[in-house]
Amino acid sequence: MSTFSDHDMAPDHDVTIVGGGPVGLAAALALDAAGLSVAVLERAPGAVWAEPSFDGREIALTYHARALLERLGAWRHIPESVICPLNEARIETGRGNHPLIFEADRPAGTKEAPLGWLVSNNMIRRSLYAEASERSGITLLPDVTVETVRQDTATAVVHCQGAEPRRVRTRLVIAADGRFSPTRRRAGIGAVIHDFERMMMVCRMAHDLPHHNVALQWFAEGQTIALLPVNGHASSLVLTLPPAEIQRLMHTEQDAFNAEVMERVGNRLGAMRLVSTRHAYPLKCVYAHRFAARRLALLGDAAVGMHPITAHGFNLGLRGAEVLAAEVAAAFSRGQDIGSAAVLRRFEKKHRAATMPLFAATNGIATLYTHDAAPFRLLRSLGLRVADALPPLKSAVTGMLMDRSPAA
């Protein structure tokens, strides 16, 4: 009786994506649009994957990100009622100091336009899953745990466990399984990990006073606070503190919690009350040493896990998915090997150029604004005044926040 090795048969799919989060699903949709067959492997059960619960995180979407979600077909699945326009971003340090305010650049004669849009992470995940589930070229495989990935010159084979052992043959594997990616680790790719020794708590607070669609980032002594507007008289609270303080607040009785939050935010929005579950996340940033290996590409947080201070992590993840899909699609249209080293080198070069400067700048800003020694406080105050006095700098930052570059 003859036997066959893992690589003796034709691939089951052109591309296999490990991780069915928003970046993985966006990549699947982009690759499907180019005519490739895609499998997406996800650890979560199918019901959880299709209807993810609220996780506290609000995503600030740029114009480019929105255009890409529209092009991929996912935007139509997001209810208008959960899309909150962001009209202004305001940065402050301490009490009574000069604020730095960013408003949308609007060409003369044009109608008002927002800086961007805020949408809950779970609603974005739901929309991408809904669109992917309608595509015949995308196979969604829930409740699957990847154990090994084996590559040779022509294919890769993903071995995984689920209801039963499964083996998926493919031309290219994409790791989109988070900033502590097991797939990245198994491939022997290291990463720079910056632990800020802080935790971030996120939840939704209703309040009496209107937010006027203004996002506030407030750096006070001993804490960092963001209030992100959502539709109605409510905001997403993002509170950064040492881990012990966050753990205490996660279990504080609700009335006492409401009172402490109002005190921490200086009663800016009047009476406030908790209207959601509370969620805590460690602040650890990750930058992979490489974005590619043999028949493997890293996307999303597996490649670059950003500090949330600039709210740009998801937008960069979408950019990476877009760049990789374009390189793979170009090779596919020419009949070339979509998992070749040349294709992956082009992707890595472009994505590294797009992410490295912002990652470095974000970490520098986060370090400056999370230290409370006198020199750091002085630099923060001076920095805001200097930035506000330089219109070209403000315009450049506003352009980055809005990112009107067309989706490919």
Side-chain angles (χ1 to χ4, degrees):
M1 183 175 68
S2 61
T3 60
F4 295 91
S5 72
D6 283 344
H7 305 285
D8 286 335
M9 298 177 65
D12 302 304
H13 306 277
D14 295 313
V15 181
T16 297
I17 300 173
V18 182
V23 172
L25 289 171
L29 290 169
L31 292 164
D32 172 74
L36 292 100
S37 64
V38 186
V40 185
L41 313 180
E42 169 58 35
R43 295 185 64 172
V48 175
W49 195 10
E51 296 288 338
S53 58
F54 177 75
D55 63 11
R57 290 176 289 189
E58 301 293 327
I59 306 300
L61 296 171
T62 65
Y63 280 76
H64 184 97
R66 174 172 174 164
L68 180 58
L69 291 173
E70 288 175 343
R71 182 165 61 84
L72 295 177
W75 189 259
R76 67 189 179 96
H77 297 285
I78 303 177
E80 189 71 28
S81 61
V82 304
I83 302 169
C84 183
L86 177 59
N87 292 338
E88 182 182 299
R90 183 182 183 97
I91 301 174
E92 300 180 14
T93 179
R95 294 181 180 271
N97 286 319
H98 189 77
L100 179 59
I101 298 173
F102 295 100
E103 297 176 298
D105 283 337
R106 302 182 181 100
T110 61
K111 294 182 179 179
E112 288 190 4
L115 271 172
W117 297 267
L118 287 159
V119 182
S120 295
N121 184 55
N122 67 312
M123 299 305 297
I124 295 173
R125 294 171 69 102
R126 186 177 299 178
S127 72
L128 287 160
Y129 180 93
E131 183 64 24
S133 67
E134 297 179 4
R135 303 287 185 92
S136 60
I138 299 176
T139 301
L140 300 174
L141 299 173
D143 210 6
V144 167
T145 302
V146 173
E147 294 192 330
T148 62
V149 179
R150 308 291 186 194
Q151 299 99 331
D152 69 4
T153 55
T155 60
V157 178
V158 182
H159 294 261
C160 40
Q161 291 289 338
E164 58 185 38
R166 184 187 296 269
R167 188 171 61 178
V168 182
R169 295 179 182 83
T170 190
R171 297 291 186 196
L172 173 65
V173 177
I174 296 174
D177 49 349
R179 64 185 62 198
F180 305 111
S181 166
T183 308
R184 183 186 69 214
R185 186 180 67 249
R186 280 193 293 266
I189 300 176
V192 174
I193 300 177
H194 188 124
D195 186 350
F196 285 90
E197 299 180 345
R198 294 287 189 277
M199 290 193 76
M200 177 180 71
M201 185 190 69
V202 287
C203 61
R204 188 167 290 188
M205 305 292 295
H207 42 77
D208 288 347
L209 301 179
H211 51 54
H212 300 295
N213 294 80
V214 175
L216 169 68
Q217 186 88 30
W218 181 21
F219 302 98
E221 190 168 347
Q223 66 177 7
T224 301
I225 296 173
L227 288 169
L228 307 177
V230 297
N231 288 332
H233 277 225
S235 294
S236 174
L237 170 71
V238 185
L239 179 60
T240 302
L241 290 167
E245 282 292 283
I246 291 294
Q247 291 300 334
R248 178 184 63 79
L249 283 167
M250 287 288 291
H251 300 95
T252 298
E253 183 272 329
Q254 186 163 333
D255 287 343
F257 179 85
N258 292 342
E260 182 167 340
V261 168
M262 283 188 284
E263 182 180 357
R264 286 183 176 275
V265 304
N267 294 308
R268 288 168 179 265
L269 295 172
M272 303 181 78
R273 63 190 182 280
L274 180 68
V275 292
S276 76
T277 48
R278 289 169 263 190
H279 303 265
Y281 301 96
L283 282 183
K284 294 183 180 181
C285 303
V286 175
Y287 199 92
H289 294 160
R290 292 179 288 138
F291 293 169
R294 195 179 197 188
R295 299 202 170 274
L296 173 69
L298 308 184
L299 282 182
D301 284 356
V304 184
M306 295 281 289
H307 190 290
I309 197 170
T310 57
H312 240 56
F314 177 64
N315 295 297
L316 280 180
L318 283 184
R319 278 278 192 179
E322 184 180 23
V323 169
L324 179 60
E327 293 297 338
V328 170
F332 182 69
S333 68
R334 295 191 291 263
Q336 298 171 349
D337 181 0
I338 63 170
S340 70
V343 169
L344 297 180
R345 275 197 302 270
R346 288 194 293 271
F347 153 70
E348 179 168 30
K349 182 179 179 181
K350 291 179 179 179
H351 197 40
R352 191 172 292 278
T355 57
M356 176 60 84
L358 190 55
F359 181 82
T362 298
N363 277 2
I365 293 169
T367 299
L368 174 63
Y369 282 96
T370 52
H371 284 72
D372 292 319
F376 288 96
R377 295 200 304 271
L378 178 60
L379 283 172
R380 291 200 290 259
S381 180
L382 288 175
L384 293 187
R385 289 182 179 277
V386 169
D388 198 41
L390 294 174
L393 176 60
K394 283 186 66 175
S395 180
V397 174
T398 300
M400 181 198 76
L401 293 173
M402 298 179 72
D403 190 6
R404 289 183 180 272
S405 56

